[in-house]
Amino acid sequence: MPKRARIFARVFLRCLLLLVLLAGISAGILLWYFRPATEPDVDVVYSQRNGVDLSYRKVSPTGSPNGAAILLMVSGSWKSGPDKFDSWMAAPFIRRGYTVFAISHLSQPKALIGEIADDIGKAVRHIRYHADEYGIDRDRFGVSGGSSGGHLSLMLATR
């Protein structure tokens, strides 16, 4: 093998090794960031509509939570369910010490939008009622959501 080809092969292999190393480090950082340390998730049934349990999932950070809560509306295209939430979706909040409540509702067309908004209100009242038990301040709630969850967040915030 000519000298130039050997030099090129060494440089190429070093660059390839560096890329693999950087990809591994990046993947590790992303996994660490999007999987914050949490207490075991707690699923709570807060009400029923049309014979179906309505629930929220409480996700608390380990260590010392800050006492504030984020109500995360799990809803897209007015479809919802406890299985549509994973803790990585709330990782930035959990890392800052917030307790996150991922609120699910009965999907459309089984419930109208007004009924869904009422059910979300029931979830908030349930969470406020149990605030001492959850270790949160009932006056320090934030609300978030995307798509129809964002619409529900706005409807909740303007009530």
Side-chain angles (χ1 to χ4, degrees):
M1 184 185 275
K3 185 176 181 179
R4 279 185 139 170
R6 282 187 300 215
I7 292 172
F8 176 77
R10 280 189 205 145
V11 170
F12 178 76
L13 288 175
R14 285 181 184 167
C15 288
L16 187 62
L17 180 63
L18 182 62
L19 283 173
V20 169
L21 184 64
L22 286 174
I25 290 170
S26 297
I29 289 171
L30 287 173
L31 282 173
W32 169 81
Y33 183 79
F34 285 110
R35 292 289 178 202
T38 61
E39 300 293 327
D41 295 357
V42 178
D43 290 322
V44 178
V45 174
Y46 66 87
S47 186
Q48 277 195 338
R49 174 154 318 268
N50 301 338
V52 177
D53 287 342
L54 304 175
S55 66
Y56 59 80
R57 180 171 296 156
K58 176 184 161 280
V59 183
S60 299
T62 55
S64 49
N66 65 17
I70 299 292
L71 309 176
L72 182 65
M73 305 299 130
V74 180
S75 186
S77 301
W78 300 103
K79 307 283 187 253
S80 184
D83 58 327
K84 296 191 181 214
F85 172 78
D86 195 8
S87 62
W88 69 265
M89 296 173 181
F93 298 126
I94 296 167
R95 290 204 163 283
R96 289 176 177 84
Y98 292 96
T99 299
V100 175
F101 294 89
I103 302 172
S104 301
H105 60 79
L106 187 61
S107 298
Q108 241 191 3
K110 295 177 184 174
L112 301 173
I113 294 172
E115 294 172 326
I116 292 170
D118 291 342
D119 292 340
I120 296 299
K122 288 178 189 176
V124 174
R125 287 190 296 278
H126 191 273
I127 293 167
R128 277 210 164 114
Y129 183 80
H130 294 280
D132 293 335
E133 179 184 330
Y134 294 151
I136 57 172
D137 181 349
R138 64 180 39 94
D139 295 323
R140 293 182 61 206
F141 283 11
V143 64
S144 181
S147 188
S148 56
H151 187 190
L152 287 169
S153 299
L154 292 172
M155 290 172 73
L156 183 64
T158 57
R159 283 186 169 191

